[in-house]
Amino acid sequence: MKNINCLTFLLCFFGALFFQNCAQPSVKEEAEEKKPNIVFIYLDDLGYGDVSAYKSGTLQTPDMDVLANGGLRFTNGYASSATCTPSRYALLTGTYPWRNQNAKILPGTAPLIIDTAQMTLPKMLKSQGYETAVIGKWHLGLGTGFVDWNQEIAPNPNHVGFDYSHILAATQDRVPTVYIENGRVVNLDLNDPISVDYDKNFEGEPTAISNPEMLTMKWHHGHNNSIVNGIPRIGYMKGGQNAKWSDIDMADHFLEKGKAYIKEKAKSESPFFLFFPMQQPHVPRTPHPRFEGKSGMGPRGDALLEADWVIGELYKTLEETGLLENTLIVFSSDNGPVLNDGYYDDAVEKVGDHTPAGPFRGGKYSLFEAGTRVPFVTYWKGEIQPGVSDALVTQIDLLASLAALVGSTESGPDSENLLEAFLGKSQEGREAVILEASTKTALRAGDWAMIPPYPGPAVQNQVNIELGNSPEYQLYNLKDDPGQRNNLASSNPEKLEEMKKLYQEIRGGEGKIEQVELK
């Protein structure tokens, strides 16, 4: 009898264990079901030729190359605009920037241009259980247009989907020159309140015009207002001495915040989204002394080497915390390159054989390809096979594509689900995209680019960049002529009419094609 009871007990025990193992997913299955972390590294004014993996310039960027060579390198990856604010707006909302008349280069006092009721990339991810953060350059406006910098500033990034924000309000060359964390100025002394104005200076405050002897960096154009740390800025600022940032330490500052965030989230059960918009290589270029002279190309090249190092440090942090294999990294730029963008810093004189725009025409501010065709990389160790993709993809498409990745049905008005292309499972991208530069728009479709006629100078002389303005239509076959030197508008009227029709279809009720200046 005892033997029968023991046998029965063993059968029941191992049977229960068998069914329990069948009912519960394995550790591997649980890991596979866990949603990936998402880190988006966004540089400022980085050109197609500035990343050595693209084999179009002479500067070496080994840490960017780890992502570009170890992931999927897109040759037809676009920002939505040739300037910063519009591209950031499109990225976070999945909306063409020309649909929002306020999506233009903003002063540091501009109100938030994302409606707090609007669907955004971080909001979508939060709805799927993600913790979200933005650390770096914001430049999408803050508050309602009447900001008291000495109180909580609202609305701010936390009101459009970010759980945590540590930002600079606009750009490094604009006031206020302070960091803002979750809507409050960091290290603010209320006995030394901050005042900011973009129209007139505060009585007694020095400027680049009145006190040139205080400058450690000489302005070329547009940067001759308040002086902070010897650097002349755009706009006027008074007070906030303890809160002012150190320019040469900015890269280190944001890196430490980014590393700390990753390490903190490594302890969490929830996936995270980190938007890491960097300042480099936007002006003023103030690399830390560790990087001075390292590139041989002046401060712009040194700032790029500093940015490359920062990216490598973030990568190491993901690796050391065990998060790398379950993290999708997206790497891109908000628009194309510019050398002289307001300061004398030897960017033009020391560029040498380096070609920041790669094989393309134009640059920042331009309707030509170099204005918006930028480095664009997706990296996910073990999931995305290293390679090169010619699929036409844009930053506008990240909202719908990442939604598909994490199981959401949310999207933006103009965002397309290109997840298969971003993961390297398909070479099919979008058919067409309207690209924007300073409120003017052009069309990229298939191998073709069309630029409608626009008034204005052909070249912006202060920055020496061709803008794409012409009294005639421009039509280019980018496959045969990536440098856009052979205008085929008159010799290929059928293709021109096809492109004009498609352009009007996408623009919809925004105006006829003859309406060359958007209001």
Side-chain angles (χ1 to χ4, degrees), residues 36-51:
N37 306 306
I38 301 168
V39 175
F40 187 21
I41 301 171
Y42 205 39
L43 272 80
D44 197 335
D45 298 351
L46 180 78
Y48 188 95
D50 282 326
V51 178

Side-chain angles (χ1 to χ4, degrees), residues 385-442:
Q385 296 304 309
V388 178
S389 175
D390 297 327
L392 176 57
V393 298
T394 79
Q395 294 163 12
I396 304 170
D397 303 316
L398 288 171
L399 202 165
S401 302
L402 293 177
L405 175 67
V406 303
S408 171
T409 58
E410 297 289 356
S411 186
D414 304 300
S415 189
E416 296 187 16
N417 178 7
L418 302 181
L419 181 61
E420 296 294 294
F422 284 129
L423 296 181
K425 298 178 180 178
S426 170
Q427 283 278 334
E428 293 295 318
R430 60 160 62 219
E431 293 183 4
V433 60
I434 288 186
L435 302 165
E436 187 255 10
S438 302
T439 74
K440 299 174 181 179
T441 52

Side-chain angles (χ1 to χ4, degrees), residues 10 49 123 150 195 211 286 404 434 436 442:
L10 289 172
K123 275 187 184 178
N150 309 291
S195 299
N211 295 85
T286 56
I434 288 186
E436 187 255 10

Side-chain angles (χ1 to χ4, degrees), residues 43 45 101 137 281-283 376 387 392 422 459:
L43 272 80
D45 298 351
Q101 63 179 355
K137 173 183 169 177
H282 193 283
V283 295
F376 202 134
L392 176 57
F422 284 129
V459 177

Side-chain angles (χ1 to χ4, degrees), residues 143-410:
T144 60
F146 303 95
V147 171
D148 181 350
W149 301 96
N150 309 291
Q151 305 290 333
E152 182 178 0
I153 304 160
N156 59 60
N158 301 61
H159 294 88
V160 294
F162 290 104
D163 297 312
Y164 173 75
S165 61
H166 190 99
I167 61 169
L168 58 143
T171 54
Q172 193 181 340
D173 59 349
R174 286 171 171 80
V175 297
T177 53
V178 296
Y179 299 123
I180 300 167
E181 186 171 75
N182 295 328
R184 291 188 178 274
V185 172
V186 177
N187 295 330
L188 177 64
D189 179 357
L190 292 178
N191 293 317
D192 182 26
I194 294 173
S195 299
V196 177
D197 197 306
Y198 271 72
D199 296 322
K200 60 182 180 179
N201 191 22
F202 301 96
E203 186 175 353
E205 291 297 309
T207 70
I209 301 296
S210 64
N211 295 85
E213 74 282 357
M214 295 177 61
L215 301 181
T216 58
M217 184 180 292
K218 186 179 178 183
W219 63 280
H220 180 271
H221 62 271
H223 298 77
N224 55 21
N225 300 151
S226 287
I227 304 168
V228 180
N229 303 332
I231 300 171
R233 316 283 171 156
I234 299 172
Y236 303 99
M237 176 178 171
K238 179 181 180 181
Q241 191 61 40
N242 289 344
K244 290 178 181 177
W245 63 52
S246 166
D247 291 270
I248 62 171
D249 294 313
M250 182 174 286
D252 287 349
H253 178 86
F254 283 127
L255 172 60
E256 289 308 310
K257 293 293 179 182
K259 289 169 64 176
Y261 183 81
I262 291 170
K263 290 175 181 177
E264 176 190 340
K265 295 310 163 190
K267 305 171 187 176
S268 173
E269 292 297 317
S270 302
F272 70 87
F273 167 55
L274 172 58
F275 180 35
F276 196 79
M278 300 174 67
Q279 157 69 15
Q280 297 96 333
H282 193 283
V283 295
R285 291 135 186 171
T286 56
H288 191 276
R290 298 192 309 274
F291 297 93
E292 283 186 3
K294 297 298 184 183
S295 69
M297 297 180 189
R300 184 179 188 273
D302 297 344
L304 282 169
L305 295 187
E306 181 179 56
D308 187 64
W309 171 78
V310 167
I311 291 168
E313 290 298 301
L314 287 175
Y315 184 93
K316 286 180 191 175
T317 305
L318 289 168
E319 200 168 35
E320 290 166 359
T321 53
L323 297 175
L324 187 62
E325 282 75 12
N326 197 43
T327 299
L328 169 63
I329 301 173
V330 182
F331 164 67
S332 195
S333 175
D334 62 351
N335 48 250
V338 59
L339 294 180
N340 179 348
D341 204 21
Y343 297 95
Y344 287 99
D345 65 358
D346 288 335
V348 175
E349 293 80 2
K350 293 185 176 180
V351 69
D353 295 330
H354 181 55
T355 50
F360 306 120
R361 188 176 180 182
K364 183 178 181 178
Y365 310 112
S366 176
L367 286 168
F368 288 123
E369 282 294 285
T372 49
R373 202 192 299 201
V374 292
F376 202 134
V377 171
T378 55
Y379 177 98
W380 187 355
K381 189 174 183 179
E383 292 290 335
I384 294 177
Q385 296 304 309
V388 178
S389 175
D390 297 327
L392 176 57
V393 298
T394 79
Q395 294 163 12
I396 304 170
D397 303 316
L398 288 171
L399 202 165
S401 302
L402 293 177
L405 175 67
V406 303
S408 171
T409 58
E410 297 289 356

